[in-house]
Amino acid sequence: QNQRGNYQPIGDVVKQMSTASVAAQVEQNQRAFQKQDCIFVGKKRVLGKKGSGIRDTRYYKAVGLGIKTPRTAIDGTYVDKKCPWTGSVNIRGKLITGVIKTTKMKNTVIIRKDYLHYIKKYNRFEKRHKNTPVHVSPAFRVKVGDEILAGQCRPLSKTVRFNMLKVIRAAGGSKKGFAGL
């Protein structure tokens, strides 16, 4: 009997249980059913056979450029189609570094890139900066002040064209105080 008081055929119950086992493998934190595009979840099981099941199956790849695949991308349970390791995004073009300025968006941060611009008339430099939105895979835990490396990819949204690849330097504990010794 289901929630409405109706009886269901036994076949549907078996189907729900197999879907529940897939749901246990993958974080179901959205309304839509979350699954990796490359993994087929409707695989028939043979009774009594012990082998690699859907729980052991996870798609991931190396992005190249000498950047290691994070352990959380290999062993994790998240589904992110915009992740460079577990999604359908390739890194190509520029690599930029910057300091995280805000983390108010979901899976996206704003990084600040500071640089100097030369003024020929005065023979001096002036400080300038650019803010760039960067997609952050759930494989990373970042906070304001972290310095990160981001790689260019296809447009992920109206403004996001970069994907985070690694944390170069994590932010310190407090902003005040003497850092050097």
Side-chain angles (χ1 to χ4, degrees):
Q1 213 173 3
N2 64 9
Q3 291 175 345
R4 294 182 181 167
N6 300 334
Y7 286 96
Q8 291 179 327
I10 293 175
D12 287 349
V13 175
V14 172
K15 197 178 284 185
Q16 287 174 351
M17 290 178 69
S18 64
T19 307
S21 67
V22 173
Q25 161 65 16
V26 174
E27 287 177 20
Q28 297 297 330
N29 53 10
Q30 304 284 330
R31 277 190 168 178
F33 182 74
Q34 298 294 301
K35 70 177 191 67
Q36 287 186 304
D37 286 339
C38 307
I39 306 299
F40 179 61
V41 295
K43 184 179 169 189
K44 301 278 192 284
R45 293 187 311 141
V46 178
L47 292 174
K49 184 178 178 187
K50 299 286 184 194
S52 65
I54 191 72
R55 291 183 177 276
D56 304 329
T57 311
R58 181 163 173 82
Y59 170 77
Y60 64 93
K61 64 183 180 187
V63 296
L65 303 167
I67 294 165
K68 284 186 172 180
T69 305
R71 198 82 228 151
T72 48
I74 298 168
D75 300 334
T77 58
Y78 70 88
V79 174
D80 182 18
K81 65 181 182 179
K82 296 177 181 179
C83 173
W85 292 281
T86 63
S88 60
V89 175
N90 293 324
I91 302 298
R92 79 285 191 282
K94 294 182 179 181
L95 294 177
I96 61 171
T97 60
V99 178
I100 294 178
K101 189 176 172 187
T102 59
T103 57
K104 294 178 181 176
M105 290 178 278
K106 184 183 175 193
N107 291 343
T108 307
V109 297
I110 301 289
I111 64 168
R112 180 184 168 114
K113 176 81 175 159
D114 294 313
Y115 60 96
L116 297 173
H117 178 251
Y118 182 68
I119 307 295
K120 192 163 60 171
K121 180 180 178 181
Y122 298 109
N123 195 23
R124 280 163 175 67
F125 292 92
E126 67 180 4
K127 284 185 180 177
R128 290 189 178 180
H129 78 276
K130 287 269 195 284
N131 289 339
T132 308
V134 175
H135 178 79
V136 177
S137 167
F140 295 109
R141 296 281 174 255
V142 293
K143 55 189 177 298
V144 175
D146 290 357
E147 188 178 350
I148 65 164
L149 174 72
Q152 190 177 6
C153 58
R154 64 173 169 81
L156 301 176
S157 70
K158 181 182 171 184
T159 56
V160 179
R161 275 106 177 93
F162 286 87
N163 223 316
M164 181 175 159
L165 298 176
K166 69 177 177 181
V167 177
I168 296 171
R169 186 174 55 238
S174 65
K175 293 195 176 186
K176 294 183 180 177
F178 185 65
L181 207 61

